[in-house]
Amino acid sequence: MRYPLRLISARSRTALERYLADAGVDPYGIRVMAAKAETLIVRIDCVPAPAANIIKQQLLSIGGDAAVHREVIRGNPPRSTVYIVADRSRLSKLPDKFAPQPFGLAELGEEIVRLVAAAEEPPAAVSLPDGELDLASGPVIVGVLNATPDSFSDGGRYLDPGKACERALEMVEEGAGVIDIGGESSRPGAAEVSAEEELGRVRPIIARLAGSVSAPISIDTRKALVAEAALGAGAAIINDVSGLRHDPAMLETAARAQAAVVVMHMLGDPATMQNKPSYDDVTSEILAWLGERTDAMMAAGIRRDKIIVDPGIGFGKRLEHNLTLLAEIGDFRSLGFPVMVGYSRKSFLGSVTGREVGDRLSGGFAALARALEGGVRLVRVHDVRETADFVKVWKAIEGKANGQ
Ligand code: HH2
């Protein structure tokens, strides 16, 4: 007799719950087994050696484990990165286990549980000045509209407000949930334009569109003056590629207007960002940077439910950095904010495929697949119709995996 065997590749909890339900497992058993089947890995950096040793002991005592530097037991190196490996039900015991321990471990235990919850249940909506942007019913496509003469892929095409509005309406028709309008190119080496010039390009478009387009409008700018006028004309989201660092007034402007804000990581500014960018660990450094920026935003009065984070593909990153960020994009959920990513037509796709800017759609789909798999909620793209088709099929397959 041969038993039919099958290695289950589904990693999501919902997928496993469906299998167990189909096999007639009782609801209590399903909950217990699903929690046991999912191994979670939490990385903690810069842990003092004695604390790393305690973490390992405590994890072993509940049937989990922690990977630490092999010499940490001798106290040299004095600090270690720690990888906690445990299933969900064991991880939930950490606050109790860590509570009596020194070195701030009591807080760490609570923090880990919060981190896992925040990463697994990202916000279902982003609050706008008037209403909200729904993220629960699937990834949102952010359609790019550059009213610039020099943007790297659509420069010069939408300088005329009539043409720009037509394209915006077309993108909404095609499936865009947000229209992102920019009046200054941020391509590598781009020169800065004045606020007056930038505003002269975007305001007529936003003013015309505001009454006629159903999707919220986002203003892609680093300047508070431009953001303020754009919001006054009907925009609802500020997309600042400088992470609200370029203009010190941006924090206050965003807070006052109750705008939603995309905070994107860039190393330096567009003029210098590609001058030998270097990182020891690109994902960890950008995670820490975004953590600091979002703290500063909230301290300035921008509400948590208005923030979207973006690792800034191509902004002060080499090919290897862009690929690593996409490979590890799911880790950005650790921040507890919706994640947006913009890979569309960018030069890293050209580096891998050898294709020119207008011929990078298929290469971009690989980045899109990775982004969706990593739980990215907003994708910023030029090719809305094609992206919408991809997303529809991806969602249909996801639905099957989750038993819908
Ligand atoms: N990329 C570009 C511009 N704005 N904003 C966010 N949040 N994320 C991105 O990845 C991003 C962005 C660059 O693309 P594009 O607008 O097409 O070109 P240009 O900057 O030359 O106008």
Side-chain angles (χ1 to χ4, degrees), residues 12 32-33 43 67 113 128 138 147 196 217 231 255 278 299 327-328 330 350 352 399:
S12 87
V32 173
M33 285 304 294
R43 168 172 157 174
V113 170
L128 304 174
E196 293 68 39
I217 297 170
L231 294 167
S278 100
E328 298 176 349
V352 176

Side-chain angles (χ1 to χ4, degrees), residues 30 54 76 106 138 189 284 304 330 382 400:
I30 291 177
I54 297 173
N76 186 24
S284 294
R304 167 171 276 280
H382 302 84
K400 270 284 160 250

Side-chain angles (χ1 to χ4, degrees), residues 146 151-152 185-186 220 239 264 310 315 342 346 380 382:
N146 286 312
S151 282
F152 79 94
S185 172
S186 52
D220 185 346
N239 173 25
M264 195 201 81
D310 184 334
F315 286 83
K346 286 190 177 167
R380 184 184 180 279
H382 302 84

Side-chain angles (χ1 to χ4, degrees), residues 114-135:
R114 267 200 305 274
L115 171 106
V116 171
E120 295 199 324
E121 280 179 36
V126 177
S127 163
L128 304 174
D130 185 11
E132 58 177 37
L133 176 66
D134 171 41
L135 302 176

Side-chain angles (χ1 to χ4, degrees), residues 221-224 227 238 240 244 247-255 302:
T221 188
R222 300 179 290 160
K223 302 188 188 84
I238 300 172
D240 186 337
L244 294 84
D247 186 337
M250 192 60 114
L251 286 168
E252 207 214 309
T253 300
I302 300 173

Side-chain angles (χ1 to χ4, degrees), residues 342-389:
Y343 56 84
S344 181
R345 303 185 184 173
K346 286 190 177 167
S347 70
F348 79 99
L349 300 169
S351 305
V352 176
T353 60
R355 303 282 182 212
E356 290 306 318
V357 69
D359 198 13
R360 293 177 182 163
L361 181 63
S362 318
F365 283 146
L368 175 59
R370 189 68 184 185
L372 299 180
E373 203 186 314
V376 164
R377 305 311 292 159
L378 301 104
V379 288
R380 184 184 180 279
V381 297
H382 302 84
D383 304 288
V384 172
R385 189 172 64 86
E386 295 81 353
T387 306
D389 282 355

